[in-house]
Amino acid sequence: MQRARTPKQIGSILYRQRDLAELSQHELGNKAGLRQATVSKIESGSPTTRIQTICALLAALDLELQIVPRRKGSADNIEDIF
Amino acid sequence: MQRARTPKQIGSILYRQRDLAELSQHELGNKAGLRQATVSKIESGSPTTRIQTICALLAALDLELQIVPRRKGSADNIEDIF
DNA sequence: TTGATTTATACGCACTAGAGTATATAATTA
DNA sequence: TAATTATATACTCTAGTGCGTATAAATCAA
């Protein structure tokens, strides 16, 4: 339930949450103080995105992080299983 | 319980977890493929750290992220309350 | 069809991560 | 005390951010 281990997974969750909030990338960018282009890149999973930028997006979506023990049985990517 | 909204909070949690795992910054760095100097900077809350680097540390500590709704009543920093 | 909205992508710019390498200081232990 | 270990900090270098600005393609509405 909204767990993430990789930048790609974080991007997917942010995309889903933005969609639920019915915001465009531009609108979300405004709330977070970021360009639309930046939001786009983050949602696609750019691994070099800065943590502060992720935090800004989370705040704009009224979300926060929780750091929890890894759950066994869920691989990072389906490819990693084989 | 291990919630974070800022790079500083993330750094504190990572420090605490490393301590629990009884690893030195150097040992953790080895597991995560990072320099000891890098671990030090992240634990101190550098806001420009890359998300992939945070993910590498979390993996080395057997942790993962969860993205959850913001809990009301908890400010980002104690300073923000006053 | 024309116009508006949304998203992906691009360029130049200033800035900084993290590697590699190294050191100084502090804390721990023999 | 001397030796070891742990952490913070520094330098050069390459790579990539996010801004400002802009555009192309796709979708949708009038």
Side-chain angles (χ1 to χ4, degrees):
Chain A
M1 203 237 194
Q2 304 291 65
R3 290 187 175 237
R5 296 181 178 185
T6 66
K8 262 198 198 318
Q9 292 172 342
I10 294 169
S12 297
I13 294 173
L14 288 174
Y15 167 79
R16 188 158 50 240
Q17 293 297 318
R18 176 174 65 79
D19 210 48
L20 287 173
E22 293 184 81
L23 293 168
S24 68
Q25 290 180 345
H26 190 81
E27 289 169 324
L28 178 59
N30 271 351
K31 291 186 70 171
L34 300 169
R35 315 266 117 252
Q36 174 264 320
T38 303
V39 177
S40 171
K41 221 173 161 200
I42 292 167
E43 287 185 353
S44 75
S46 170
T48 49
T49 301
R50 296 173 187 166
I51 185 62
Q52 73 177 357
T53 309
I54 301 286
C55 287
L57 277 187
L58 290 172
L61 288 167
D62 261 302
L63 300 170
E64 65 187 0
L65 292 177
Q66 217 169 354
I67 293 173
V68 297
R70 266 190 178 213
R71 204 182 252 172
K72 296 245 169 185
S74 62
D76 290 25
N77 310 290
I78 191 70
E79 300 94 315
D80 293 350
I81 299 178
F82 306 100
Chain B
M1 204 237 195
Q2 303 292 65
R3 289 185 176 238
R5 297 181 176 182
T6 66
K8 262 199 197 320
Q9 292 172 342
I10 294 169
S12 297
I13 294 172
L14 288 173
Y15 167 78
R16 188 159 49 241
Q17 292 297 318
R18 177 174 65 79
D19 210 49
L20 287 174
E22 293 184 81
L23 293 169
S24 68
Q25 291 181 343
H26 190 81
E27 289 169 324
L28 178 59
N30 271 351
K31 291 187 71 171
L34 300 169
R35 314 267 120 251
Q36 174 264 321
T38 303
V39 178
S40 170
K41 221 175 161 200
I42 292 167
E43 288 185 353
S44 74
S46 170
T48 49
T49 300
R50 297 173 187 166
I51 185 61
Q52 72 177 356
T53 309
I54 301 285
C55 287
L57 278 186
L58 290 173
L61 288 167
D62 261 301
L63 300 170
E64 64 188 0
L65 292 177
Q66 217 167 354
I67 293 174
V68 297
R70 265 188 181 220
R71 200 181 256 173
K72 297 241 171 189
S74 62
D76 290 24
N77 310 289
I78 191 72
E79 299 94 315
D80 294 349
I81 300 179
F82 306 101

